[in-house]
Amino acid sequence: MSAQSQVVSFQGVWIPLVTPFRDGALDLGAVRRLVRHYAAQGVSGFVVCGSTGEASALEEDEQLLALDAALEAAGAVPVIMGLSGASQPRLLRRLAELRSRPLAGVLSAAPAYVRPGQAGAAAHFRALADAAHVPLVLYDIPYRTGTQLDTATLLELAAHPNIVAIKDCGGSLDKTQALIAHGGLQVLAGEDLQGFGTVALGGTGIIAASAHVRADLFVAMFQALQAQQLQVARRLCHALAPVIRLLYAEPNPAPLKALLARQGWLRDEVRPPMMRAATGLALQLEAAAAELDRLYPPADSSA
């Protein structure tokens, strides 16, 4: 693989890829099948080893294996690597290891548990951005990290030439609107039900775990919003909402993996301490996905 990174705009619908397992080990064949499938449905890119990818439960060599499998299958479709943790020296070493991969960017959240404060978080992100050979995408997700990134901190970081975008799970409409209005960062919704609103406000896209289910409809909703076809986009949003809500009824990605397993894409396996979704929820999801297919018949339903 070439070490040259891809120059991309962080817009459209991105899939934060699940990590399939088979008898506890990585199922790299399933990774490749999923990536090829979603690439054919028109997604703008993939995130490997994010929250949905159970990155914190993977060994470092497993993370690289999952990344390489995704890169192999993605072809020209951009791939972002998730890279977060509490040890800045370790993250800097990982950035050096990633230089041989043709990444579109690196997604990183504030150090979990440490709670470094605004100045510490800003300094941490600047250190990563200085060292990265590709653009840094901020991941604002305080309910996982324990660090609330203030609007002022994010706007300060937007001045860094290698910090270009944000996955917005910050939970504040005021902050989302301020970031979009400022224009220094490309803003991608990270909360799936907020994708419609973020893009309608001028955000550049969505990183949505639920886009594993009918990615083509998420792409159609984004394109309708871009074209100012609000009625079309609203109908799609309302149709997708029941599936999205069920996918987060239990901790992500267990419900998603349960549904994908029933659809034949992977085994219904998660890494402990994550637990498999309840059978009742899996059945509800299967019914909701079938209703979505009834409303919007898929062009190709084969797995």
Side-chain angles (χ1 to χ4, degrees), residues 145-181:
T145 64
T147 295
Q148 180 76 47
L149 296 171
D150 293 344
T151 302
T153 301
L154 293 171
L155 295 181
E156 174 190 338
L157 289 168
H160 193 291
N162 203 34
I163 299 177
V164 301
I166 182 167
K167 180 180 179 183
D168 177 21
C169 298
S172 167
L173 180 59
D174 285 344
K175 183 160 61 175
T176 300
Q177 190 276 331
L179 292 172
I180 292 170

mmCIF file of all heavy atoms in Angstrom, residues 145-181:
data_model
loop_
_atom_site.group_PDB
_atom_site.id
_atom_site.type_symbol
_atom_site.label_atom_id
_atom_site.label_comp_id
_atom_site.label_asym_id
_atom_site.label_seq_id
_atom_site.Cartn_x
_atom_site.Cartn_y
_atom_site.Cartn_z
ATOM 1 N N THR A 145 -15.942 9.926 27.286
ATOM 2 C CA THR A 145 -14.608 10.343 27.714
ATOM 3 C C THR A 145 -14.583 10.989 29.093
ATOM 4 O O THR A 145 -13.546 11.008 29.755
ATOM 5 C CB THR A 145 -14.023 11.363 26.724
ATOM 6 O OG1 THR A 145 -14.819 12.560 26.737
ATOM 7 C CG2 THR A 145 -13.980 10.786 25.311
ATOM 8 N N GLY A 146 -15.702 11.571 29.523
ATOM 9 C CA GLY A 146 -15.722 12.318 30.766
ATOM 10 C C GLY A 146 -15.223 13.743 30.627
ATOM 11 O O GLY A 146 -15.157 14.471 31.613
ATOM 12 N N THR A 147 -14.890 14.162 29.415
ATOM 13 C CA THR A 147 -14.410 15.518 29.160
ATOM 14 C C THR A 147 -15.372 16.258 28.241
ATOM 15 O O THR A 147 -15.614 15.813 27.107
ATOM 16 C CB THR A 147 -13.008 15.505 28.519
ATOM 17 O OG1 THR A 147 -12.076 14.962 29.456
ATOM 18 C CG2 THR A 147 -12.560 16.909 28.128
ATOM 19 N N GLN A 148 -15.920 17.351 28.725
ATOM 20 C CA GLN A 148 -16.788 18.202 27.925
ATOM 21 C C GLN A 148 -15.910 19.231 27.222
ATOM 22 O O GLN A 148 -15.267 20.066 27.853
ATOM 23 C CB GLN A 148 -17.800 18.921 28.823
ATOM 24 C CG GLN A 148 -18.756 19.832 28.073
ATOM 25 C CD GLN A 148 -19.829 19.045 27.354
ATOM 26 O OE1 GLN A 148 -20.443 18.147 27.923
ATOM 27 N NE2 GLN A 148 -20.070 19.387 26.100
ATOM 28 N N LEU A 149 -15.846 19.157 25.902
ATOM 29 C CA LEU A 149 -15.058 20.119 25.136
ATOM 30 C C LEU A 149 -15.904 21.362 24.885
ATOM 31 O O LEU A 149 -16.942 21.303 24.215
ATOM 32 C CB LEU A 149 -14.609 19.496 23.812
ATOM 33 C CG LEU A 149 -13.667 18.290 23.929
ATOM 34 C CD1 LEU A 149 -13.467 17.626 22.578
ATOM 35 C CD2 LEU A 149 -12.335 18.711 24.532
ATOM 36 N N ASP A 150 -15.468 22.484 25.437
ATOM 37 C CA ASP A 150 -16.219 23.725 25.292
ATOM 38 C C ASP A 150 -16.146 24.241 23.859
ATOM 39 O O ASP A 150 -15.188 23.968 23.123
ATOM 40 C CB ASP A 150 -15.672 24.796 26.234
ATOM 41 C CG ASP A 150 -15.899 24.464 27.702
ATOM 42 O OD1 ASP A 150 -16.733 23.586 27.989
ATOM 43 O OD2 ASP A 150 -15.219 25.085 28.543
ATOM 44 N N THR A 151 -17.149 25.025 23.492
ATOM 45 C CA THR A 151 -17.163 25.627 22.160
ATOM 46 C C THR A 151 -15.899 26.436 21.915
ATOM 47 O O THR A 151 -15.277 26.348 20.838
ATOM 48 C CB THR A 151 -18.402 26.519 21.992
ATOM 49 O OG1 THR A 151 -19.581 25.734 22.215
ATOM 50 C CG2 THR A 151 -18.451 27.127 20.597
ATOM 51 N N ALA A 152 -15.482 27.214 22.901
ATOM 52 C CA ALA A 152 -14.283 28.043 22.735
ATOM 53 C C ALA A 152 -13.048 27.190 22.479
ATOM 54 O O ALA A 152 -12.180 27.557 21.661
ATOM 55 C CB ALA A 152 -14.078 28.908 23.972
ATOM 56 N N THR A 153 -12.960 26.049 23.139
ATOM 57 C CA THR A 153 -11.821 25.150 22.926
ATOM 58 C C THR A 153 -11.819 24.605 21.509
ATOM 59 O O THR A 153 -10.784 24.558 20.835
ATOM 60 C CB THR A 153 -11.876 23.987 23.932
ATOM 61 O OG1 THR A 153 -11.845 24.514 25.259
ATOM 62 C CG2 THR A 153 -10.718 23.028 23.738
ATOM 63 N N LEU A 154 -12.977 24.203 21.034
ATOM 64 C CA LEU A 154 -13.072 23.648 19.688
ATOM 65 C C LEU A 154 -12.776 24.708 18.630
ATOM 66 O O LEU A 154 -12.115 24.421 17.622
ATOM 67 C CB LEU A 154 -14.462 23.040 19.475
ATOM 68 C CG LEU A 154 -14.754 21.803 20.334
ATOM 69 C CD1 LEU A 154 -16.218 21.416 20.225
ATOM 70 C CD2 LEU A 154 -13.861 20.633 19.932
ATOM 71 N N LEU A 155 -13.241 25.923 18.846
ATOM 72 C CA LEU A 155 -12.953 26.989 17.888
ATOM 73 C C LEU A 155 -11.466 27.333 17.893
ATOM 74 O O LEU A 155 -10.893 27.658 16.843
ATOM 75 C CB LEU A 155 -13.796 28.224 18.199
ATOM 76 C CG LEU A 155 -15.307 28.051 18.030
ATOM 77 C CD1 LEU A 155 -16.032 29.354 18.358
ATOM 78 C CD2 LEU A 155 -15.646 27.588 16.616
ATOM 79 N N GLU A 156 -10.851 27.248 19.054
ATOM 80 C CA GLU A 156 -9.397 27.450 19.125
ATOM 81 C C GLU A 156 -8.666 26.369 18.333
ATOM 82 O O GLU A 156 -7.727 26.652 17.574
ATOM 83 C CB GLU A 156 -8.961 27.429 20.588
ATOM 84 C CG GLU A 156 -7.457 27.484 20.811
ATOM 85 C CD GLU A 156 -7.073 27.218 22.262
ATOM 86 O OE1 GLU A 156 -7.934 27.407 23.140
ATOM 87 O OE2 GLU A 156 -5.924 26.803 22.492
ATOM 88 N N LEU A 157 -9.091 25.119 18.486
ATOM 89 C CA LEU A 157 -8.456 24.015 17.764
ATOM 90 C C LEU A 157 -8.683 24.108 16.259
ATOM 91 O O LEU A 157 -7.861 23.644 15.460
ATOM 92 C CB LEU A 157 -8.983 22.683 18.293
ATOM 93 C CG LEU A 157 -8.501 22.307 19.695
ATOM 94 C CD1 LEU A 157 -9.290 21.126 20.242
ATOM 95 C CD2 LEU A 157 -7.009 21.974 19.674
ATOM 96 N N ALA A 158 -9.796 24.728 15.853
ATOM 97 C CA ALA A 158 -10.089 24.871 14.423
ATOM 98 C C ALA A 158 -9.038 25.695 13.710
ATOM 99 O O ALA A 158 -8.899 25.611 12.482
ATOM 100 C CB ALA A 158 -11.471 25.501 14.234
ATOM 101 N N ALA A 159 -8.263 26.483 14.450
ATOM 102 C CA ALA A 159 -7.215 27.298 13.835
ATOM 103 C C ALA A 159 -6.001 26.466 13.448
ATOM 104 O O ALA A 159 -5.148 26.932 12.676
ATOM 105 C CB ALA A 159 -6.803 28.418 14.792
ATOM 106 N N HIS A 160 -5.892 25.240 13.974
ATOM 107 C CA HIS A 160 -4.746 24.400 13.635
ATOM 108 C C HIS A 160 -4.891 23.906 12.198
ATOM 109 O O HIS A 160 -5.950 23.391 11.822
ATOM 110 C CB HIS A 160 -4.656 23.208 14.584
ATOM 111 C CG HIS A 160 -3.372 22.458 14.515
ATOM 112 N ND1 HIS A 160 -2.999 21.700 13.428
ATOM 113 C CD2 HIS A 160 -2.340 22.356 15.408
ATOM 114 C CE1 HIS A 160 -1.811 21.150 13.641
ATOM 115 N NE2 HIS A 160 -1.391 21.537 14.842
ATOM 116 N N PRO A 161 -3.875 24.017 11.373
ATOM 117 C CA PRO A 161 -4.022 23.660 9.955
ATOM 118 C C PRO A 161 -4.289 22.188 9.705
ATOM 119 O O PRO A 161 -4.779 21.830 8.620
ATOM 120 C CB PRO A 161 -2.674 24.079 9.345
ATOM 121 C CG PRO A 161 -1.728 24.146 10.496
ATOM 122 C CD PRO A 161 -2.543 24.574 11.674
ATOM 123 N N ASN A 162 -4.005 21.311 10.682
ATOM 124 C CA ASN A 162 -4.223 19.880 10.470
ATOM 125 C C ASN A 162 -5.405 19.342 11.271
ATOM 126 O O ASN A 162 -5.593 18.137 11.358
ATOM 127 C CB ASN A 162 -2.961 19.079 10.815
ATOM 128 C CG ASN A 162 -2.933 17.729 10.118
ATOM 129 O OD1 ASN A 162 -3.406 17.591 8.990
ATOM 130 N ND2 ASN A 162 -2.383 16.727 10.780
ATOM 131 N N ILE A 163 -6.214 20.224 11.858
ATOM 132 C CA ILE A 163 -7.457 19.811 12.517
ATOM 133 C C ILE A 163 -8.599 20.353 11.668
ATOM 134 O O ILE A 163 -8.814 21.562 11.601
ATOM 135 C CB ILE A 163 -7.536 20.343 13.960
ATOM 136 C CG1 ILE A 163 -6.375 19.776 14.784
ATOM 137 C CG2 ILE A 163 -8.869 19.969 14.601
ATOM 138 C CD1 ILE A 163 -6.313 20.295 16.209
ATOM 139 N N VAL A 164 -9.297 19.471 10.983
ATOM 140 C CA VAL A 164 -10.159 19.917 9.888
ATOM 141 C C VAL A 164 -11.634 19.600 10.077
ATOM 142 O O VAL A 164 -12.488 20.176 9.376
ATOM 143 C CB VAL A 164 -9.681 19.315 8.551
ATOM 144 C CG1 VAL A 164 -8.236 19.727 8.260
ATOM 145 C CG2 VAL A 164 -9.802 17.798 8.559
ATOM 146 N N ALA A 165 -11.970 18.678 10.977
ATOM 147 C CA ALA A 165 -13.361 18.235 11.076
ATOM 148 C C ALA A 165 -13.642 17.753 12.486
ATOM 149 O O ALA A 165 -12.736 17.583 13.307
ATOM 150 C CB ALA A 165 -13.643 17.119 10.066
ATOM 151 N N ILE A 166 -14.923 17.534 12.760
ATOM 152 C CA ILE A 166 -15.334 17.043 14.077
ATOM 153 C C ILE A 166 -16.506 16.081 13.921
ATOM 154 O O ILE A 166 -17.438 16.332 13.145
ATOM 155 C CB ILE A 166 -15.711 18.205 15.020
ATOM 156 C CG1 ILE A 166 -16.082 17.685 16.415
ATOM 157 C CG2 ILE A 166 -16.839 19.061 14.442
ATOM 158 C CD1 ILE A 166 -16.165 18.775 17.465
ATOM 159 N N LYS A 167 -16.434 14.963 14.633
ATOM 160 C CA LYS A 167 -17.591 14.094 14.818
ATOM 161 C C LYS A 167 -18.296 14.591 16.067
ATOM 162 O O LYS A 167 -17.772 14.496 17.182
ATOM 163 C CB LYS A 167 -17.178 12.628 14.970
ATOM 164 C CG LYS A 167 -18.375 11.703 15.165
ATOM 165 C CD LYS A 167 -17.975 10.251 15.327
ATOM 166 C CE LYS A 167 -19.224 9.385 15.537
ATOM 167 N NZ LYS A 167 -18.896 7.959 15.765
ATOM 168 N N ASP A 168 -19.480 15.120 15.882
ATOM 169 C CA ASP A 168 -20.175 15.867 16.923
ATOM 170 C C ASP A 168 -21.167 14.986 17.673
ATOM 171 O O ASP A 168 -22.270 14.725 17.207
ATOM 172 C CB ASP A 168 -20.890 17.064 16.269
ATOM 173 C CG ASP A 168 -21.703 17.882 17.259
ATOM 174 O OD1 ASP A 168 -21.423 17.796 18.463
ATOM 175 O OD2 ASP A 168 -22.602 18.617 16.812
ATOM 176 N N CYS A 169 -20.736 14.527 18.855
ATOM 177 C CA CYS A 169 -21.620 13.837 19.786
ATOM 178 C C CYS A 169 -21.696 14.626 21.084
ATOM 179 O O CYS A 169 -21.912 14.063 22.167
ATOM 180 C CB CYS A 169 -21.117 12.428 20.076
ATOM 181 S SG CYS A 169 -21.044 11.332 18.658
ATOM 182 N N GLY A 170 -21.490 15.946 20.985
ATOM 183 C CA GLY A 170 -21.382 16.783 22.169
ATOM 184 C C GLY A 170 -22.679 17.032 22.892
ATOM 185 O O GLY A 170 -22.666 17.483 24.044
ATOM 186 N N GLY A 171 -23.806 16.767 22.248
ATOM 187 C CA GLY A 171 -25.091 16.892 22.922
ATOM 188 C C GLY A 171 -25.594 18.304 23.112
ATOM 189 O O GLY A 171 -26.503 18.544 23.903
ATOM 190 N N SER A 172 -25.017 19.281 22.390
ATOM 191 C CA SER A 172 -25.426 20.672 22.527
ATOM 192 C C SER A 172 -25.735 21.261 21.165
ATOM 193 O O SER A 172 -24.831 21.435 20.331
ATOM 194 C CB SER A 172 -24.317 21.493 23.200
ATOM 195 O OG SER A 172 -24.564 22.884 23.075
ATOM 196 N N LEU A 173 -27.004 21.592 20.938
ATOM 197 C CA LEU A 173 -27.375 22.214 19.678
ATOM 198 C C LEU A 173 -26.707 23.577 19.522
ATOM 199 O O LEU A 173 -26.295 23.965 18.422
ATOM 200 C CB LEU A 173 -28.899 22.364 19.586
ATOM 201 C CG LEU A 173 -29.447 23.001 18.310
ATOM 202 C CD1 LEU A 173 -29.024 22.201 17.075
ATOM 203 C CD2 LEU A 173 -30.970 23.110 18.374
ATOM 204 N N ASP A 174 -26.561 24.306 20.644
ATOM 205 C CA ASP A 174 -25.883 25.599 20.579
ATOM 206 C C ASP A 174 -24.451 25.440 20.069
ATOM 207 O O ASP A 174 -23.984 26.214 19.234
ATOM 208 C CB ASP A 174 -25.859 26.255 21.965
ATOM 209 C CG ASP A 174 -27.203 26.830 22.368
ATOM 210 O OD1 ASP A 174 -28.061 26.987 21.477
ATOM 211 O OD2 ASP A 174 -27.392 27.115 23.562
ATOM 212 N N LYS A 175 -23.756 24.434 20.587
ATOM 213 C CA LYS A 175 -22.373 24.204 20.159
ATOM 214 C C LYS A 175 -22.324 23.768 18.697
ATOM 215 O O LYS A 175 -21.471 24.251 17.938
ATOM 216 C CB LYS A 175 -21.709 23.165 21.067
ATOM 217 C CG LYS A 175 -20.247 22.910 20.741
ATOM 218 C CD LYS A 175 -19.493 22.266 21.902
ATOM 219 C CE LYS A 175 -20.020 20.929 22.320
ATOM 220 N NZ LYS A 175 -19.179 20.289 23.362
ATOM 221 N N THR A 176 -23.211 22.878 18.307
ATOM 222 C CA THR A 176 -23.257 22.440 16.918
ATOM 223 C C THR A 176 -23.459 23.626 15.990
ATOM 224 O O THR A 176 -22.748 23.787 14.982
ATOM 225 C CB THR A 176 -24.394 21.421 16.716
ATOM 226 O OG1 THR A 176 -24.167 20.288 17.559
ATOM 227 C CG2 THR A 176 -24.473 20.968 15.272
ATOM 228 N N GLN A 177 -24.437 24.464 16.315
ATOM 229 C CA GLN A 177 -24.732 25.612 15.467
ATOM 230 C C GLN A 177 -23.552 26.582 15.418
ATOM 231 O O GLN A 177 -23.197 27.103 14.353
ATOM 232 C CB GLN A 177 -25.985 26.336 15.980
ATOM 233 C CG GLN A 177 -26.533 27.403 15.052
ATOM 234 C CD GLN A 177 -25.819 28.745 15.214
ATOM 235 O OE1 GLN A 177 -25.331 29.053 16.308
ATOM 236 N NE2 GLN A 177 -25.759 29.531 14.145
ATOM 237 N N ALA A 178 -22.891 26.802 16.558
ATOM 238 C CA ALA A 178 -21.754 27.717 16.600
ATOM 239 C C ALA A 178 -20.596 27.206 15.753
ATOM 240 O O ALA A 178 -19.936 27.983 15.047
ATOM 241 C CB ALA A 178 -21.304 27.926 18.042
ATOM 242 N N LEU A 179 -20.343 25.904 15.804
ATOM 243 C CA LEU A 179 -19.265 25.331 15.006
ATOM 244 C C LEU A 179 -19.559 25.441 13.515
ATOM 245 O O LEU A 179 -18.675 25.777 12.710
ATOM 246 C CB LEU A 179 -19.053 23.863 15.387
ATOM 247 C CG LEU A 179 -18.491 23.597 16.786
ATOM 248 C CD1 LEU A 179 -18.528 22.101 17.090
ATOM 249 C CD2 LEU A 179 -17.075 24.118 16.913
ATOM 250 N N ILE A 180 -20.803 25.171 13.138
ATOM 251 C CA ILE A 180 -21.168 25.275 11.727
ATOM 252 C C ILE A 180 -21.067 26.718 11.254
ATOM 253 O O ILE A 180 -20.524 27.013 10.182
ATOM 254 C CB ILE A 180 -22.581 24.711 11.496
ATOM 255 C CG1 ILE A 180 -22.584 23.190 11.715
ATOM 256 C CG2 ILE A 180 -23.084 25.034 10.084
ATOM 257 C CD1 ILE A 180 -23.968 22.568 11.742
ATOM 258 N N ALA A 181 -21.578 27.644 12.065
ATOM 259 C CA ALA A 181 -21.543 29.061 11.685
ATOM 260 C C ALA A 181 -20.117 29.577 11.573
ATOM 261 O O ALA A 181 -19.803 30.398 10.706
ATOM 262 C CB ALA A 181 -22.325 29.888 12.700
#
